[in-house]
Amino acid sequence: MTTPTNTPTDAVPPTATAPAPSWQDEATGPARAERLSALAQQHGALVTLIVAVSAASLSFDTFLTTDNLGNMAVSSAFLAVVALGMTFVIITGGIDLSVGSLFALGGVLAAWGSQYGTAVALLLPLAVCALIGLVNGLLIARSRLAPFIVTLAAMLGARGILLAVTDEGSRTYLVDKDSFFAKLGQGEALGIGVPVWITLALFVAGAVTLRRSRFGQYVYAVGGNEDAAALMGAPVARTKIAVYTLSGLCAGLAGALNAAWLVSGVTILGSGMELEAISAVVIGGTLLTGGFGFISGSLVGVLLLKVIQNVINQIGSLDSAYQQVVSGAFLAVVVMAQTWLGRRRRVL
Amino acid sequence: MTTDLAVPRTKATDRDRLRRQLQEYGVYLGVAALLIVNILFTPHFLSTENFRTQAVQVAPVLIVALGMALAIGSEGVDLSVGSVMALSTSLISLYLGYGIWMALAAAVLGGAAVGVANGALIAFIGVQPIVATLALMVAGRGIALVLLPQLKDVHDPGMAALGSGDLLGIPYLVLIATALTLLVAFVVRRTTFGRQLLAIGDSRPAARLAGLPVRRVLILVYVASGALAAIAGVLATARLTASDPTSLGTLMELSAITAVVVGGTPLSGGRVRIGGTVAGAVLIQLLTATLIKHDLPPSWTQIAQAVVIILAVYAARERVKR
């Protein structure tokens, strides 16, 4: 209504009726408030992380030990790789609920493949998971199906494939402890686990791609306003297909690395991981409505989640059920804050 | 929707109409096809005992799917239903000491409370339904496990009667599911609330401009979904004679969404098809039963269900031409 570029073909008007979200449109008074809220949105997670780490290290002697930090870093690494792919998907305004299943499937395929060498152990899960991601992307982009329902089906289907591969979950494939593949998970360089290095490298590559490449611009454009992006000449469908493939690839890689770390493919892993990944991305400041977000925030989000889990574990009297209560409540609080700060009320 | 205003009448529109009819009635065809296949190829399928078992098994899924249909009709979704079932089974076990009615009330109120939380996040704060209910999905199962950390047998004559008793040969579970189905169908078709719900699902800005009580209706939708899921949890507990907060209701949100979507309710909101939802739930149940009876492993069921979801959504997809 307010923007003259909206043609009658625009079938989804809610965003159009809301006040334009960009900072420049507002006058100087509210602009400062907007900028402050944007600042809180961008760095809120980092500040919370620093506070949480300080509080935890003051409360528990066991928190700031090399062992604990190293463990936390490695266990964060797998979730971080999944969250990396999820960040791209969410910035395009989509969601990928299949990553938990793909994580588990990737791990089992990697463990099975490791008997034929490291190349098979890595390429097989990557190929299968990327293929499932590609199918997700094709259905979402070309057939215009809702992302959450497509990836929900993929979550079910991938878990089914996983069960079929493992004789209904009864078989566990082991990785040879001395193989090069196992070193990818268990090895260390400069006192820091190899998975952590791999993850950091991937995050740098992801951040550069998102910020500096044309593909990254398309990702933001598609999430910001799909119709405008299409009019601008951005390959909307291809961008969407690419992000879901990337998300599947990341989940498969994370699963493979996790299998190398555990030296076995564990079938029951990954349930609830889609939620953790989405939480991490959202906590990191990426808007679920798409068009806005950053890679580094997702890393901070993962670390924050893991620190909270670690603290709950350290309080011995609290069992893991509280972890779920706290993470659910935390996600709700963050999304509430985000909705308020972002002033992007799509609904109402 | 109004997107097909300017389409000239050609072969393509005929195909369009065919597709729309397939979308409307495809689920009944699917159920009929599965019935025929089973009658022909599955031994002992045509027995009262078997139909009774199938009906009892479909009851909880159907009850959850009714609430899901309301949520989807309002252009939302409720991912927390499985966790609400877990929560209600925990509450049942905790409150059975105070009598069965107290326990039932606690379970249903617990589910409704989760619904209030979902609805408030969605209606007042403007969080997307997927995310709001995702948060409650995690937190809900967490709370269920905090209340009741592990499986506990339920020894209560009232609950046992509820789970396995019958009236004139029809199991209580089936009677309750039928009554709730009729109730929800009545609410959607014949009440102001139902009309408001569909208007909001069709276009929330328009509903708001028309002065409808959008927030109140949305909250009531999620309260209904939570309460229905809690009732399903109660019935499942009664049938299993045990409370299992760890695994009760896992993937239930998926089955419920499948039933609703396969039944022809569009994910874009504005319509609720109760008959289709019932058929959708029966379809999933029959599909699972067919695969199990022919000794196909559970993994096949999951893959088959995934394919059915995609096919149904694909058939129902709205065509947006650029």
Side-chain angles (χ1 to χ4, degrees):
Chain A
M1 257 185 267
T2 47
T3 40
T5 48
N6 264 333
T7 54
T9 53
D10 190 352
V12 201
T15 41
T17 53
S22 76
W23 287 283
Q24 291 92 339
D25 288 6
E26 300 276 330
T28 43
R32 179 186 285 172
E34 286 270 302
R35 218 172 294 135
L36 270 178
S37 72
L39 210 67
Q41 204 171 333
Q42 285 190 25
H43 301 293
L46 193 60
V47 174
T48 318
L49 178 66
I50 293 168
V51 171
V53 168
S54 321
S57 47
L58 287 176
S59 319
F60 308 104
D61 300 336
T62 44
F63 185 81
L64 269 190
T65 57
T66 338
D67 267 1
N68 191 39
L69 290 182
N71 269 333
M72 240 161 50
V74 175
S75 68
S76 305
F78 310 114
L79 177 62
V81 174
V82 176
L84 176 64
M86 185 72 83
T87 312
F88 281 86
V89 171
I90 292 184
I91 292 178
T92 64
I95 201 155
D96 189 349
L97 299 177
S98 68
V99 290
S101 291
L102 291 180
F103 178 80
L105 180 62
V108 167
L109 289 176
W112 177 81
S114 68
Q115 55 186 315
Y116 303 107
T118 305
V120 179
L122 278 178
L123 289 180
L124 180 69
L126 291 187
V128 172
C129 293
L131 183 68
I132 297 175
L134 177 71
V135 173
N136 280 339
L138 283 171
L139 286 168
I140 291 161
R142 296 261 181 240
S143 304
R144 310 190 126 265
L145 305 185
F148 96 91
I149 198 104
V150 170
T151 55
L152 208 60
M155 158 181 156
L156 194 68
R159 194 59 75 179
I161 296 172
L162 168 72
L163 287 176
V165 170
T166 55
D167 294 341
E168 304 308 311
S170 61
R171 283 187 66 174
T172 307
Y173 299 103
L174 295 178
V175 175
D176 181 11
K177 278 199 178 68
D178 302 320
S179 65
F180 177 70
F181 180 60
K183 297 233 163 44
L184 274 182
Q186 297 212 310
E188 283 191 359
L190 305 174
I192 294 171
V194 174
V196 179
W197 288 114
I198 296 176
T199 306
L200 288 176
L202 288 174
F203 265 81
V204 171
V208 171
T209 308
L210 194 58
R211 283 286 169 193
R212 294 273 175 264
S213 75
R214 180 167 297 180
F215 169 67
Q217 288 184 336
Y218 289 153
V219 169
Y220 280 111
V222 168
N225 185 335
E226 205 178 312
D227 294 321
L231 290 173
M232 195 179 84
V236 174
R238 226 189 305 149
T239 306
K240 284 192 183 176
I241 294 169
V243 294
Y244 287 97
T245 312
L246 184 71
S247 178
L249 198 68
C250 284
L253 177 65
L257 289 177
N258 188 61
W261 184 53
L262 295 171
V263 290
S264 67
V266 183
T267 54
I268 53 162
L269 287 178
S271 61
M273 194 173 203
E274 58 286 340
L275 184 90
E276 279 190 287
I278 294 167
S279 305
V281 173
V282 174
I283 290 167
T286 299
L287 283 184
L288 271 160
T289 41
F292 181 83
F294 18 71
I295 297 290
S296 58
S298 300
L299 191 59
V300 173
V302 168
L303 293 177
L304 190 51
L305 280 181
K306 288 291 172 183
V307 167
I308 291 172
Q309 280 180 13
N310 193 272
V311 167
I312 292 172
N313 284 340
Q314 302 243 5
I315 309 171
S317 61
L318 290 178
D319 60 277
S320 66
Y322 283 97
Q323 255 180 38
Q324 294 182 322
V325 182
V326 173
S327 5
F330 196 63
L331 176 64
V333 168
V334 168
V335 178
M336 277 161 65
Q338 215 187 49
T339 320
W340 267 322
L341 289 174
R343 293 166 192 267
R344 277 207 166 194
R345 300 203 175 196
R346 310 187 70 174
V347 265
L348 296 177
Chain B
M1 294 286 226
T2 51
T3 41
D4 47 10
L5 270 180
V7 183
R9 294 186 68 76
T10 56
K11 264 190 181 160
T13 51
D14 284 349
R15 213 181 304 142
D16 235 35
R17 201 180 314 135
L18 182 72
R19 219 201 53 222
R20 204 165 302 143
Q21 280 178 350
L22 202 67
Q23 176 194 336
E24 297 251 318
Y25 304 108
V27 63
Y28 302 108
L29 286 180
V31 170
L34 271 175
L35 276 176
I36 293 169
V37 165
N38 273 303
I39 289 168
L40 290 180
F41 300 108
T42 308
H44 315 300
F45 185 80
L46 263 188
S47 67
T48 330
E49 193 48 46
N50 178 52
F51 276 105
R52 201 186 144 101
T53 314
Q54 304 293 339
V56 165
Q57 280 181 351
V58 85
V61 183
L62 172 59
I63 293 170
V64 176
L66 291 173
M68 186 67 80
L70 296 180
I72 291 181
S74 72
E75 208 185 354
V77 74
D78 189 350
L79 298 181
S80 67
V81 287
S83 297
V84 169
M85 287 179 73
L87 184 63
S88 94
T89 202
S90 293
L91 287 170
I92 280 277
S93 275
L94 284 181
Y95 282 90
L96 261 182
Y98 303 97
I100 182 165
W101 292 109
M102 188 69 193
L104 292 179
V108 175
L109 283 178
V114 173
V116 170
N118 278 330
L121 280 172
I122 293 161
F124 282 96
I125 300 173
V127 178
Q128 294 112 302
I130 304 181
V131 186
T133 56
L134 204 62
L136 265 299
M137 172 178 164
V138 194
R141 195 167 291 276
I143 296 170
L145 286 167
V146 167
L147 292 175
L148 186 73
Q150 74 268 318
L151 189 139
K152 188 179 167 200
D153 286 334
V154 172
H155 301 291
D156 183 88
M159 287 294 279
L162 182 63
S164 51
D166 57 33
L167 187 75
L168 304 173
I170 306 172
Y172 285 138
L173 261 63
V174 178
L175 287 174
I176 294 170
T178 312
L180 288 173
T181 307
L182 293 175
L183 177 68
V184 172
F186 176 79
V187 165
V188 171
R189 292 266 173 80
R190 295 268 180 269
T191 62
T192 316
F193 170 76
R195 273 200 296 279
Q196 289 174 338
L197 153 68
L198 296 181
I200 289 167
D202 207 19
S203 167
R204 197 175 303 179
R208 197 195 56 230
L209 290 174
L212 300 188
V214 173
R215 292 178 168 168
R216 195 178 72 209
V217 172
L218 280 178
I219 288 189
L220 282 176
V221 164
Y222 288 92
V223 167
S225 176
L228 284 166
I231 293 173
V234 169
L235 297 182
T237 309
R239 198 164 68 84
L240 302 168
T241 64
S243 285
D244 183 6
T246 321
S247 62
L248 184 73
T250 47
L251 290 184
M252 181 54 87
E253 62 287 340
L254 204 67
S255 298
I257 294 171
T258 315
V260 174
V261 170
V262 171
T265 300
L267 276 171
S268 47
R271 287 193 70 187
V272 172
R273 285 166 49 85
I274 297 297
T277 301
V278 176
V282 171
L283 183 81
I284 300 168
Q285 174 59 31
L286 276 180
L287 192 68
T288 313
T290 312
L291 293 170
I292 289 173
K293 289 201 175 186
H294 289 272
D295 282 332
L296 289 167
S299 55
W300 284 54
T301 318
Q302 292 201 4
I303 298 172
Q305 202 182 332
V307 173
V308 169
I309 299 177
I310 292 294
L311 284 179
V313 186
Y314 188 81
R317 77 193 190 282
E318 266 176 53
R319 284 211 318 201
V320 186
K321 287 251 167 177
R322 289 202 172 278

